[in-house]
Amino acid sequence: MLLAALYVVAHGATAFVVEPIQSRLFEDVTVFASLLYLPHGLRVISTWIWRWQAIPGLILGALLAEFLYTDASIVAMLQPVLIESILVGALSAYVAFEALRFAGENAYAGQNLRLQWTHLLVIGVVSSLVNSIGQSIVFGGFVMPDDAFLVLLFYAIGDIFGLVAIMLLAVAAFRVSEREM
């Protein structure tokens, strides 16, 4: 439940701070992607810690966030593919972690929850690519062909910047918690 709540908060910050600024610069693209998508960082960090057990919280958080923050007319328009989009997003980090594990490198959190920046950044980039391609396929019928590459690019950039922002917040939170112990 905590993960779902954090996802809703992160999505809300994206919806109310990032997207209004972005919509002035890139009008139609913002319906599909954000240049700073904080929930992607939560996907990566939570999957790093909880593995597949993070997926239900990510799905619940994404569902709640969509219905809380997305205009009803957009939800109605996207409803046929909204669940597919949420599943692609929720599974993207897990797919990346498992692909890396299959390749011989287990990047999941171990006994200590020490952040491994390089692993998490690689996972973040790979999962962003998985998510970007998946979202582009899911929303393919809703995106003008001339905007398709830009939407894909926005997904990738937003996911990666969102990961970096959440990683910085996580490092700060871990440091504060270590001082209090």
Side-chain angles (χ1 to χ4, degrees):
M1 229 24 204
L2 174 64
L3 179 55
L6 288 172
Y7 194 102
V8 168
V9 169
H11 191 100
T14 301
F16 291 120
V17 177
V18 175
E19 288 180 9
I21 295 167
Q22 183 178 313
S23 67
R24 289 190 173 143
L25 300 172
F26 303 103
E27 298 172 18
D28 295 333
V29 178
T30 58
V31 171
F32 300 102
S34 172
L35 286 173
L36 177 65
Y37 192 64
L38 298 172
H40 183 69
L42 287 175
R43 291 175 190 150
V44 174
I45 299 288
S46 64
T47 304
W48 172 64
I49 295 169
W50 295 303
R51 300 177 185 222
W52 67 267
Q53 291 102 338
I55 295 170
L58 293 170
I59 292 170
L60 178 60
L63 278 170
L64 291 171
E66 287 299 332
F67 288 107
L68 287 172
Y69 302 126
T70 305
D71 184 81
S73 63
I74 294 173
V75 169
M77 176 184 74
L78 298 177
Q79 197 163 19
V81 297
L82 196 55
I83 298 298
E84 293 171 23
S85 170
I86 288 169
L87 290 174
V88 167
L91 292 169
S92 63
Y94 182 71
V95 167
F97 273 103
E98 287 299 305
L100 193 60
R101 190 174 68 83
F102 184 74
E105 182 68 36
N106 188 343
Y108 289 112
Q111 293 297 327
N112 63 13
L113 292 179
R114 191 169 163 215
L115 279 173
Q116 301 195 8
W117 286 90
T118 54
H119 285 154
L120 291 180
L121 285 173
V122 168
I123 293 296
V125 169
V126 172
S127 63
S128 175
L129 293 173
V130 169
N131 185 50
S132 300
I133 293 167
Q135 298 298 346
S136 294
I137 292 168
V138 167
F139 289 120
F142 293 96
V143 177
M144 299 299 293
D146 293 344
D147 292 334
F149 179 75
L150 190 58
V151 170
L152 181 85
L153 184 64
F154 270 46
Y155 269 113
I157 290 170
D159 284 353
I160 292 166
F161 285 165
L163 171 64
V164 170
I166 293 296
M167 286 176 71
L168 291 172
L169 288 171
V171 166
F174 287 147
R175 286 188 180 159
V176 167
S177 69
E178 285 176 351
R179 283 187 212 144
E180 292 179 1
M181 292 181 163

